[in-house]
mmCIF file of all heavy atoms in Angstrom:
data_model
loop_
_atom_site.group_PDB
_atom_site.id
_atom_site.type_symbol
_atom_site.label_atom_id
_atom_site.label_comp_id
_atom_site.label_asym_id
_atom_site.label_seq_id
_atom_site.Cartn_x
_atom_site.Cartn_y
_atom_site.Cartn_z
ATOM 1 N N THR M 41 91.894 114.786 83.614
ATOM 2 C CA THR M 41 90.933 114.193 82.692
ATOM 3 C C THR M 41 90.256 115.301 81.910
ATOM 4 O O THR M 41 90.601 116.482 82.072
ATOM 5 C CB THR M 41 89.889 113.353 83.462
ATOM 6 O OG1 THR M 41 89.078 112.646 82.535
ATOM 7 C CG2 THR M 41 88.995 114.201 84.361
ATOM 8 N N TRP M 45 86.979 113.062 77.127
ATOM 9 C CA TRP M 45 87.385 111.667 77.385
ATOM 10 C C TRP M 45 86.263 110.927 78.111
ATOM 11 O O TRP M 45 85.881 109.815 77.724
ATOM 12 C CB TRP M 45 88.676 111.619 78.223
ATOM 13 C CG TRP M 45 89.269 110.219 78.289
ATOM 14 C CD1 TRP M 45 90.264 109.719 77.500
ATOM 15 C CD2 TRP M 45 88.877 109.141 79.163
ATOM 16 N NE1 TRP M 45 90.524 108.405 77.818
ATOM 17 C CE2 TRP M 45 89.688 108.024 78.839
ATOM 18 C CE3 TRP M 45 87.939 108.995 80.178
ATOM 19 C CZ2 TRP M 45 89.593 106.797 79.494
ATOM 20 C CZ3 TRP M 45 87.830 107.761 80.829
ATOM 21 C CH2 TRP M 45 88.646 106.688 80.485
ATOM 22 N N ARG M 49 84.192 107.791 76.368
ATOM 23 C CA ARG M 49 84.421 106.424 76.847
ATOM 24 C C ARG M 49 83.258 105.861 77.643
ATOM 25 O O ARG M 49 83.127 104.656 77.763
ATOM 26 C CB ARG M 49 85.665 106.371 77.755
ATOM 27 C CG ARG M 49 86.928 106.871 77.120
ATOM 28 C CD ARG M 49 87.502 105.827 76.172
ATOM 29 N NE ARG M 49 88.643 106.393 75.476
ATOM 30 C CZ ARG M 49 89.802 105.778 75.350
ATOM 31 N NH1 ARG M 49 89.987 104.587 75.847
ATOM 32 N NH2 ARG M 49 90.781 106.351 74.690
ATOM 33 N N THR M 50 82.446 106.754 78.232
ATOM 34 C CA THR M 50 81.438 106.257 79.181
ATOM 35 C C THR M 50 80.026 106.785 78.945
ATOM 36 O O THR M 50 79.074 106.188 79.441
ATOM 37 C CB THR M 50 81.806 106.656 80.632
ATOM 38 O OG1 THR M 50 81.634 108.077 80.771
ATOM 39 C CG2 THR M 50 83.235 106.280 80.973
ATOM 40 N N CYS M 125 77.461 96.226 92.121
ATOM 41 C CA CYS M 125 76.548 96.789 91.111
ATOM 42 C C CYS M 125 75.367 95.874 90.802
ATOM 43 O O CYS M 125 74.366 96.327 90.247
ATOM 44 C CB CYS M 125 77.313 97.118 89.830
ATOM 45 S SG CYS M 125 78.591 98.351 90.084
ATOM 46 N N ARG M 164 92.553 108.356 88.008
ATOM 47 C CA ARG M 164 91.587 108.968 87.071
ATOM 48 C C ARG M 164 90.779 107.932 86.308
ATOM 49 O O ARG M 164 89.728 108.243 85.751
ATOM 50 C CB ARG M 164 92.323 109.878 86.087
ATOM 51 C CG ARG M 164 93.241 109.137 85.129
ATOM 52 C CD ARG M 164 93.876 110.087 84.148
ATOM 53 N NE ARG M 164 94.743 109.377 83.213
ATOM 54 C CZ ARG M 164 95.281 109.919 82.148
ATOM 55 N NH1 ARG M 164 95.077 111.190 81.886
ATOM 56 N NH2 ARG M 164 96.052 109.208 81.355
ATOM 57 N N SER M 165 91.293 106.688 86.264
ATOM 58 C CA SER M 165 90.567 105.676 85.486
ATOM 59 C C SER M 165 89.333 105.161 86.231
ATOM 60 O O SER M 165 88.490 104.479 85.644
ATOM 61 C CB SER M 165 91.484 104.503 85.124
ATOM 62 O OG SER M 165 91.817 103.774 86.271
ATOM 63 N N VAL M 168 86.254 109.009 87.929
ATOM 64 C CA VAL M 168 85.319 109.782 87.100
ATOM 65 C C VAL M 168 84.031 109.000 86.795
ATOM 66 O O VAL M 168 83.114 109.538 86.171
ATOM 67 C CB VAL M 168 85.984 110.201 85.760
ATOM 68 C CG1 VAL M 168 87.230 111.022 86.022
ATOM 69 C CG2 VAL M 168 86.308 108.988 84.892
ATOM 70 N N LEU M 208 87.893 93.900 90.294
ATOM 71 C CA LEU M 208 87.035 94.962 90.841
ATOM 72 C C LEU M 208 86.836 94.722 92.330
ATOM 73 O O LEU M 208 86.162 93.768 92.721
ATOM 74 C CB LEU M 208 85.683 94.937 90.090
ATOM 75 C CG LEU M 208 84.625 95.990 90.426
ATOM 76 C CD1 LEU M 208 85.181 97.384 90.414
ATOM 77 C CD2 LEU M 208 83.456 95.879 89.453
ATOM 78 N N MET M 225 89.872 98.953 90.044
ATOM 79 C CA MET M 225 89.200 98.258 88.936
ATOM 80 C C MET M 225 90.092 98.152 87.712
ATOM 81 O O MET M 225 90.775 99.106 87.354
ATOM 82 C CB MET M 225 87.914 99.011 88.540
ATOM 83 C CG MET M 225 87.182 98.354 87.387
ATOM 84 S SD MET M 225 85.538 99.031 87.101
ATOM 85 C CE MET M 225 85.947 100.629 86.468
ATOM 86 N N GLY M 227 89.326 98.186 84.325
ATOM 87 C CA GLY M 227 88.145 98.536 83.538
ATOM 88 C C GLY M 227 87.924 97.667 82.322
ATOM 89 O O GLY M 227 86.810 97.222 82.047
ATOM 90 N N ARG M 228 89.032 97.389 81.597
ATOM 91 C CA ARG M 228 88.881 96.602 80.361
ATOM 92 C C ARG M 228 88.413 95.185 80.644
ATOM 93 O O ARG M 228 87.605 94.627 79.907
ATOM 94 C CB ARG M 228 90.213 96.551 79.616
ATOM 95 C CG ARG M 228 90.459 97.824 78.912
ATOM 96 C CD ARG M 228 91.371 97.637 77.745
ATOM 97 N NE ARG M 228 91.452 98.908 77.044
ATOM 98 C CZ ARG M 228 92.303 99.153 76.090
ATOM 99 N NH1 ARG M 228 93.152 98.241 75.724
ATOM 100 N NH2 ARG M 228 92.309 100.328 75.507
ATOM 101 N N VAL M 230 86.658 94.182 83.223
ATOM 102 C CA VAL M 230 85.243 94.225 83.623
ATOM 103 C C VAL M 230 84.373 94.379 82.372
ATOM 104 O O VAL M 230 83.366 93.677 82.204
ATOM 105 C CB VAL M 230 84.982 95.383 84.609
ATOM 106 C CG1 VAL M 230 83.495 95.478 84.935
ATOM 107 C CG2 VAL M 230 85.793 95.198 85.885
ATOM 108 N N PHE M 231 84.767 95.276 81.505
ATOM 109 C CA PHE M 231 84.014 95.534 80.272
ATOM 110 C C PHE M 231 83.852 94.241 79.468
ATOM 111 O O PHE M 231 82.755 93.899 79.014
ATOM 112 C CB PHE M 231 84.762 96.582 79.440
ATOM 113 C CG PHE M 231 83.909 97.270 78.413
ATOM 114 C CD1 PHE M 231 83.712 98.645 78.471
ATOM 115 C CD2 PHE M 231 83.314 96.565 77.380
ATOM 116 C CE1 PHE M 231 82.918 99.284 77.534
ATOM 117 C CE2 PHE M 231 82.532 97.206 76.432
ATOM 118 C CZ PHE M 231 82.338 98.563 76.508
ATOM 119 N N HIS M 262 71.684 98.030 84.448
ATOM 120 C CA HIS M 262 72.596 98.729 85.350
ATOM 121 C C HIS M 262 73.321 99.799 84.539
ATOM 122 O O HIS M 262 73.748 99.555 83.412
ATOM 123 C CB HIS M 262 73.590 97.733 85.947
ATOM 124 C CG HIS M 262 74.718 98.416 86.658
ATOM 125 N ND1 HIS M 262 74.512 99.405 87.588
ATOM 126 C CD2 HIS M 262 76.070 98.272 86.547
ATOM 127 C CE1 HIS M 262 75.687 99.831 88.030
ATOM 128 N NE2 HIS M 262 76.638 99.167 87.412
ATOM 129 N N ALA M 264 76.339 101.580 84.048
ATOM 130 C CA ALA M 264 77.774 101.715 84.309
ATOM 131 C C ALA M 264 78.447 102.505 83.198
ATOM 132 O O ALA M 264 79.321 103.327 83.454
ATOM 133 C CB ALA M 264 78.414 100.340 84.423
ATOM 134 N N ASN M 265 78.031 102.245 81.980
ATOM 135 C CA ASN M 265 78.763 102.777 80.845
ATOM 136 C C ASN M 265 77.849 102.681 79.620
ATOM 137 O O ASN M 265 77.298 101.618 79.338
ATOM 138 C CB ASN M 265 80.021 101.910 80.653
ATOM 139 C CG ASN M 265 80.893 102.403 79.529
ATOM 140 O OD1 ASN M 265 80.414 102.631 78.423
ATOM 141 N ND2 ASN M 265 82.166 102.562 79.805
ATOM 142 N N ARG M 267 78.485 102.567 76.555
ATOM 143 C CA ARG M 267 78.924 101.612 75.526
ATOM 144 C C ARG M 267 78.483 100.185 75.868
ATOM 145 O O ARG M 267 78.117 99.407 74.992
ATOM 146 C CB ARG M 267 80.445 101.673 75.356
ATOM 147 C CG ARG M 267 80.894 102.979 74.681
ATOM 148 C CD ARG M 267 82.370 102.931 74.362
ATOM 149 N NE ARG M 267 83.168 102.811 75.568
ATOM 150 C CZ ARG M 267 84.410 102.344 75.619
ATOM 151 N NH1 ARG M 267 85.005 101.916 74.526
ATOM 152 N NH2 ARG M 267 85.075 102.300 76.748
ATOM 153 N N ASN M 292 77.732 105.956 87.407
ATOM 154 C CA ASN M 292 77.458 104.618 87.947
ATOM 155 C C ASN M 292 77.162 104.745 89.444
ATOM 156 O O ASN M 292 78.054 105.051 90.222
ATOM 157 C CB ASN M 292 78.677 103.723 87.694
ATOM 158 C CG ASN M 292 78.457 102.283 88.156
ATOM 159 O OD1 ASN M 292 77.514 102.002 88.903
ATOM 160 N ND2 ASN M 292 79.318 101.396 87.718
ATOM 161 N N MET M 322 75.862 93.787 86.399
ATOM 162 C CA MET M 322 77.074 93.035 86.747
ATOM 163 C C MET M 322 77.930 93.906 87.646
ATOM 164 O O MET M 322 77.969 95.121 87.479
ATOM 165 C CB MET M 322 77.860 92.679 85.496
ATOM 166 C CG MET M 322 79.162 92.001 85.849
ATOM 167 S SD MET M 322 80.069 91.432 84.439
ATOM 168 C CE MET M 322 81.706 91.426 85.153
HETATM 169 N N1 ACO N 12 90.746 110.799 81.625
HETATM 170 C C1 ACO N 12 91.626 110.815 80.629
HETATM 171 N N2 ACO N 12 92.325 109.721 80.266
HETATM 172 C C2 ACO N 12 92.138 108.595 80.963
HETATM 173 C C3 ACO N 12 91.215 108.526 82.039
HETATM 174 C C4 ACO N 12 90.514 109.704 82.363
HETATM 175 N N3 ACO N 12 89.609 109.738 83.355
HETATM 176 N N4 ACO N 12 91.245 107.272 82.536
HETATM 177 C C5 ACO N 12 92.114 106.575 81.821
HETATM 178 N N5 ACO N 12 92.660 107.367 80.862
HETATM 179 C C6 ACO N 12 93.627 107.023 79.859
HETATM 180 C C7 ACO N 12 94.491 105.846 80.259
HETATM 181 O O1 ACO N 12 95.572 106.282 81.066
HETATM 182 C C8 ACO N 12 94.937 105.300 78.935
HETATM 183 O O2 ACO N 12 95.982 106.107 78.464
HETATM 184 P P1 ACO N 12 97.233 105.456 77.686
HETATM 185 O O3 ACO N 12 96.629 104.841 76.455
HETATM 186 O O4 ACO N 12 98.101 106.626 77.420
HETATM 187 O O5 ACO N 12 97.791 104.450 78.628
HETATM 188 C C9 ACO N 12 93.734 105.560 78.025
HETATM 189 O O6 ACO N 12 92.942 106.568 78.690
HETATM 190 C C10 ACO N 12 92.880 104.321 77.803
HETATM 191 O O7 ACO N 12 92.595 103.706 79.063
HETATM 192 P P2 ACO N 12 91.714 102.424 79.170
HETATM 193 O O8 ACO N 12 91.517 102.086 80.608
HETATM 194 O O9 ACO N 12 92.261 101.364 78.289
HETATM 195 O O10 ACO N 12 90.346 102.966 78.555
HETATM 196 P P3 ACO N 12 89.061 102.174 78.152
HETATM 197 O O11 ACO N 12 88.704 102.491 76.753
HETATM 198 O O12 ACO N 12 89.110 100.732 78.546
HETATM 199 O O13 ACO N 12 87.950 102.863 79.056
HETATM 200 C C11 ACO N 12 86.708 102.470 81.085
HETATM 201 C C12 ACO N 12 88.048 102.789 80.466
HETATM 202 C C13 ACO N 12 85.768 103.607 80.778
HETATM 203 C C14 ACO N 12 86.867 102.303 82.577
HETATM 204 C C15 ACO N 12 86.149 101.179 80.458
HETATM 205 O O14 ACO N 12 87.120 100.156 80.486
HETATM 206 C C16 ACO N 12 84.930 100.698 81.134
HETATM 207 O O15 ACO N 12 83.896 101.337 81.102
HETATM 208 N N6 ACO N 12 84.942 99.519 81.741
HETATM 209 C C17 ACO N 12 83.786 98.977 82.428
HETATM 210 C C18 ACO N 12 84.000 99.139 83.840
HETATM 211 C C19 ACO N 12 82.800 99.600 84.583
HETATM 212 O O16 ACO N 12 81.962 100.311 84.097
HETATM 213 N N7 ACO N 12 82.751 99.182 85.829
HETATM 214 C C20 ACO N 12 81.733 99.571 86.732
HETATM 215 C C21 ACO N 12 81.462 98.505 87.715
HETATM 216 S S1 ACO N 12 81.117 96.995 86.992
HETATM 217 C C22 ACO N 12 79.835 97.252 86.041
HETATM 218 O O17 ACO N 12 79.008 97.925 86.471
HETATM 219 C C23 ACO N 12 79.774 96.648 84.724
#
Side-chain angles (χ1 to χ4, degrees):
T41 188
W45 191 96
R49 303 283 174 132
T50 70
C125 298
R164 67 177 181 171
S165 69
V168 302
L208 183 50
M225 179 169 70
R228 283 205 175 170
V230 176
F231 200 119
H262 168 50
N265 182 309
R267 289 188 297 158
N292 183 345
M322 176 175 156

